[in-house]
Amino acid sequence: MAGLLEGKNILVTGMITDQSIAFNVAKLVQEQGGNLILTAYPRPSLVERIAKRLPAEAPVIPLDVTSAEELAGIADKVREHVGSLDGVVHSIGFAPQSALGGGFLTASWEDVSVALHASTYSYKSLATALLPMLGRGSSIVGLTFDATVAWPVYDWMGVAKAGLESASRYLATYLGDQGIRSNLVSAGPLRTMAAKSIPGFAKFEDAWVERAPLGWDLADTEPAAKAVVALLSDWFPATTGEIIHVDGGYHSVGA
């Protein structure tokens, strides 16, 4: 039986450790028959080491999504490995420490702008940089953390994610006539490297585990990765501008 991504070329960003959602996405891409291309920042050698834990070898291309110069050359670098792309996964988010952990009122614009550039604008800029390689039926998928409410300590990253959610809807609008989809997966809290870098992020972990109707495993990134792979596949041909919650149902319940 053919896999969900049989013969598809998929580019995955943001893989830093084997605990990341991106790692599980990359693993599932290969297990579902896809051809995987990885990007790496800031340490390609680290990603290359982690990539050796995947089912098969995958090329690793250095890419800083905040660099206009590197974005301008990314399509040519990808073409060294595949002729076209069927899917792009944006698993990137960064904010300086001053913009997190209770620093909402004191963070400088300089630091906030870094967060917005890396976490929000990069979704659009990565998509447009790779647009020449994307065709009808292609899928762009990003990762968010429910930005409809304010979270303790998430601060400007929460604002950046709200922008990301809006950017995905606009991308869906502008790329729809080319048959290209844009969707997000909103995962519950996971003990990834990104989460560990946010001071006090653990404050609402216990509540999530207790209140999510399906329960929630803080260490299991596979459910979110499966949703990403499903959105990359042909099984959601008429879905775009959507946010799929993979959070044990937490978003659906009140106090």
Side-chain angles (χ1 to χ4, degrees), residues 112-123:
V112 170
S113 67
V114 169
L116 295 177
H117 193 176
S119 310
T120 307
Y121 185 76
S122 66
Y123 187 73

Side-chain angles (χ1 to χ4, degrees), residues 15-24 50-51 53-54 219 221:
M15 192 178 83
I16 299 177
T17 74
D18 57 4
Q19 296 176 325
S20 64
I21 297 173
F23 177 85
N24 245 322
I50 299 299
R53 301 174 191 176
L54 293 169
T221 61

Side-chain angles (χ1 to χ4, degrees), residues 5 8-14 25 29 35-37 39 63 65 71 74 78 84-92 122-135 137-143 171 175 180-184 228-229 231-233:
L5 301 179
K8 291 185 180 294
N9 300 322
I10 308 294
L11 181 138
V12 176
T13 67
V25 170
V29 165
N35 302 311
L36 176 68
I37 302 96
T39 69
L63 175 65
V65 291
L71 284 168
I74 186 61
V78 173
S84 62
L85 285 175
D86 302 287
V88 176
V89 178
H90 180 280
S91 181
I92 299 168
S122 66
Y123 187 73
K124 189 283 304 185
S125 57
L126 178 66
T128 51
L130 293 169
L131 194 55
M133 302 198 69
L134 296 169
S138 297
S139 176
I140 302 165
V141 184
L143 289 162
L171 204 61
L175 298 184
I180 299 172
R181 295 167 284 141
S182 172
N183 294 289
L184 300 178
V228 171
V229 168
L231 288 169
L232 290 169
S233 77

